[in-house]
Amino acid sequence: MWKITRARVGVIIVVGLAVLMLAMLKLRARIDSTSERQLLNTRATLAMVGHALETFHREGGRYPTNDEGLECLGRSIGGRGPLIRTSDSVRDGWNQLLIYREPGNNSSTHFVLYSIGPNERDEAGQGDDIDFTSEEVQRLLPN
């Protein structure tokens, strides 16, 4: 039978801590990759929906109203099928609905489109919100 000595207890604690640290590092890597995947998914979704808004404007001569929202992109336009499948296309990587608004008269943009980001607080396109006009999203648009 093993005799439990202070040295053995120390070894058991050190080995246990090492295993725990490895498990935490592995979990951290998984969390980081999930966060990165959510961010990339959100940027791609913003690019797709923004492109659909531009197509809607090109074919219909206007952007959707605030009342119509992004849901109108899921309907046929001029005999053509829907531009996006709105059931899942208007949500970001954190499963939150994208924010769409007409910009108003004082704005130089055609529309406002953004995700409220990982903190799930609407900061009007600021803070950690991810905006359609950001460089990272614009790079994903077709030429």
Side-chain angles (χ1 to χ4, degrees):
M1 209 31 76
W2 285 16
K3 228 181 187 182
I4 299 190
T5 63
R6 284 183 184 222
R8 285 197 175 134
V9 169
V11 168
I12 291 170
I13 290 173
V14 169
V15 169
L17 286 174
V19 168
L20 182 61
M21 286 177 60
L22 285 172
M24 288 175 65
L25 287 172
K26 195 166 191 137
L27 178 62
R28 177 66 189 191
R30 176 177 269 157
I31 289 170
D32 287 346
S33 69
T34 299
S35 298
E36 186 66 21
R37 187 171 42 250
Q38 289 168 313
L39 181 60
L40 293 173
N41 177 291
T42 299
R43 288 177 181 156
T45 300
L46 283 166
M48 178 195 65
V49 172
H51 182 67
L53 285 165
E54 294 294 348
T55 302
F56 183 93
H57 178 262
R58 229 180 4 263
E59 295 187 7
R62 65 180 183 87
Y63 290 98
T65 65
N66 289 335
D67 289 337
E68 290 173 314
L70 297 175
E71 289 75 26
C72 73
L73 301 175
R75 296 186 215 115
S76 295
I77 301 173
R80 224 177 105 188
L83 296 170
I84 61 173
R85 293 181 308 161
T86 56
S87 60
D88 53 356
S89 298
V90 295
R91 292 191 175 270
D92 65 13
W94 297 273
N95 204 30
Q96 300 293 321
L97 289 172
L98 296 180
I99 306 295
Y100 168 79
R101 286 194 305 269
E102 297 172 283
N105 296 332
N106 298 335
S107 178
S108 62
T109 62
H110 300 293
F111 56 85
V112 175
L113 179 66
Y114 63 94
S115 158
I116 61 173
N119 74 359
E120 299 181 1
R121 286 195 326 258
D122 187 348
E123 298 166 302
Q126 304 299 311
D128 77 340
D129 293 356
I130 304 159
D131 191 81
F132 171 72
T133 60
S134 72
E135 273 184 46
E136 296 86 359
V137 173
Q138 293 296 304
R139 278 186 283 205
L140 299 174
L141 292 171
N143 294 327

